[in-house]
Amino acid sequence: MVGVRVIGAATLVRELGTCSVEIRARTPGRGATYSKLSEGIRSLVHDGRICLGSALPSERDLAGALSVSRSTVTSAYADLRRNGYLISRQGARSVVALPTGRAEAGSVIFRQVTDAAQNASLDLAHLLPDTPVDSIMQAYSTALTRLPALLNSHGMDRAGLPELRSLVARRYTERGLDTTPEQIMITAGAQHALTLVLSCLSSPGDRILVEHPTHPTALMAMTQSSLQVVPIALDPDDTTFGGWNLPAIHDAVRQSGARLAHITPDFNQPTGMCLTREGREQYARIAAESGTTLIVDEVPSELWLEAPPPPPMAVFAEQNGCPSICLGSMSKTFWTGLRIGWIRADPAVVSRLIGYRTGFDLGTSLPDQLAAAELLSAPDTLERRRESLRERRTILLDAVARALPEWQVYPNRGGMTLWAEMPRPVSTRLCTAAFERGVLLVAGPQFGVHAAFERHLRLPYTRSPEEIRSALDIVADAYHSLR
């Protein structure tokens, strides 16, 4: 069937993870094995790990991979069809779908954030900071008064407004990393910046070192660039370098020949861990020795809650002669909808990226850049944001301790989320059960590769105190409903 991606049986079994083990262990007469398989596939669809329009493996292949009877798979597929998760066409494979009405509120992948009906859900999937409404409104009002001066130009500046580039460069310099405007390129957010960097500076099949866990959209960008991801596990219990395993990183770089390494040293998403100063020095030396370019995600850098992080990773990279590219944005410090980000790199790399950008777009919105310049020029509001996050983090920790005392929540030093570990590998199923009760979550496997982190869940503390407590009660009810 041309144009339809077919999911292999081995791939589906791997994605099912623990669920596949439970299916294999089922004995005759002790419940319907097919319903367990059907439930597992539905959970993968809602979690976005099975793409809509994909074709499932043949009944024979999946039965063989799971070591179950073919009739079990036939019954599971029939159950999925009855409930709208499979669409069959004569003479063609059945393809994955969502039941009518399910593609609206709820699924992280398909949720329409502008739909007023979404207010019924408690959204713990998207990080929704306290948006400084007055500041943003004033910034855009001022931006509009300045816009006429730019209307005689073509408005397609691929490098970014000189004023904004200077302001971003100044913020780096204030953090201890001397930077000139020529080292800055303005983008339409950090995700745009990462996609541009990967597309320009890598080739399909290149290996890239990645923290494990890491942000789902970063993994998506790497997959779209056809890179081979080399995951290096973070260990929240190891405080030597803040959770980073430097000996493992050294071995992985040497053995894999990774040309790139993606790192979030300031408050890794989702764990909130922070790489120590000594860790940054060692990581930079390892990368320099192997000729590996560091791609440093600095989006959460200013959201420290205990103490400011060490100097930027690029400081240590430059001291060791290691190439580095820093990515930042205004999404976490101001508003996610303000799609302004930047790249900080050597001027020659910036020049190359500017030339390459034409194949993607022709520049970042000028009104948004003017508003961003106003916000970066205004008095800093970040301390109020940090104080709010500290308070809400405490509320979330108390709520977990009260409602889910069997969960382990790892301490973090900054960012907007906690990383929780559950006694049972039920993260994907829990997200489905919570959604049915009105709470939107992101399952742990979204933050890893090869179906990892089914025992983990990301918990943001960006909602109001009342919403945090209410959501945790619902999550606890959903968790205890799982068998």
Side-chain angles (χ1 to χ4, degrees), residues 4-249:
V4 174
R5 175 179 178 243
V6 180
I7 301 171
T11 299
L12 181 55
V13 170
R14 184 178 68 240
E15 289 293 338
L16 285 166
T18 305
C19 180
S20 67
V21 176
E22 295 175 357
I23 291 169
R24 290 188 180 104
R26 288 289 180 114
T27 55
R30 298 190 61 186
T33 306
Y34 83 85
S35 64
K36 185 71 175 178
L37 176 57
S38 175
E39 178 188 357
I41 293 174
R42 287 199 308 270
S43 294
L44 293 177
V45 172
H46 279 288
D47 199 31
R49 287 154 61 196
I50 293 181
C51 298
L52 298 185
S54 299
L56 294 180
S58 70
E59 295 173 0
R60 178 182 298 173
D61 288 348
L62 185 55
L66 285 171
S67 300
V68 299
S69 68
R70 185 171 176 179
S71 63
T72 295
V73 180
T74 300
S75 297
Y77 281 9
D79 184 61
L80 292 168
R81 291 188 188 95
R82 279 194 302 272
N83 290 285
Y85 287 89
L86 274 184
I87 297 176
S88 300
R89 297 182 179 88
Q90 187 172 3
R93 288 181 180 268
S94 297
V95 297
V96 175
L98 276 177
T100 302
R102 287 298 185 98
E104 43 189 55
S107 171
V108 174
I109 306 300
F110 308 104
R111 179 174 180 266
Q112 299 297 314
V113 296
T114 56
D115 189 340
Q118 301 311 315
N119 295 332
S121 293
L122 285 169
D123 188 345
L124 297 189
H126 300 88
L127 305 186
L128 307 172
D130 290 330
T131 303
V133 177
D134 292 341
S135 297
I136 290 179
M137 293 295 290
Q138 181 59 50
Y140 271 96
S141 295
T142 303
L144 289 176
T145 66
R146 300 181 55 196
L147 187 58
L150 300 175
L151 293 180
N152 288 329
S153 71
H154 54 66
M156 296 183 293
D157 190 339
R158 291 171 295 170
L161 285 177
E163 175 189 0
L164 184 54
R165 296 174 75 189
S166 295
L167 287 167
V168 172
R170 187 180 71 186
R171 286 175 89 89
Y172 274 109
T173 300
E174 290 171 349
R175 291 174 54 210
L177 178 61
D178 290 339
T179 302
T180 65
E182 291 72 28
Q183 293 176 275
I184 301 297
M185 174 182 178
I186 304 301
T187 63
Q191 184 69 13
H192 175 229
L194 176 59
T195 302
L196 182 62
V197 167
L198 294 179
S199 299
C200 180
L201 303 182
S202 70
S203 300
D206 283 351
R207 293 178 174 87
I208 181 169
L209 214 65
V210 177
E211 298 160 349
H212 207 220
T214 194
H215 199 280
T217 58
L219 292 173
M220 290 178 187
M222 295 167 197
T223 299
Q224 290 168 356
S225 293
S226 300
L227 301 181
Q228 295 187 43
V229 173
V230 181
I232 302 296
L234 296 177
D235 184 358
D237 293 320
D238 184 357
T239 59
T240 306
F241 298 109
W244 277 257
N245 188 335
L246 270 300
I249 291 170

Side-chain angles (χ1 to χ4, degrees), residues 394-405:
T394 299
I395 291 169
L396 177 57
L397 286 168
D398 291 344
V400 173
R402 171 181 52 80
L404 293 159

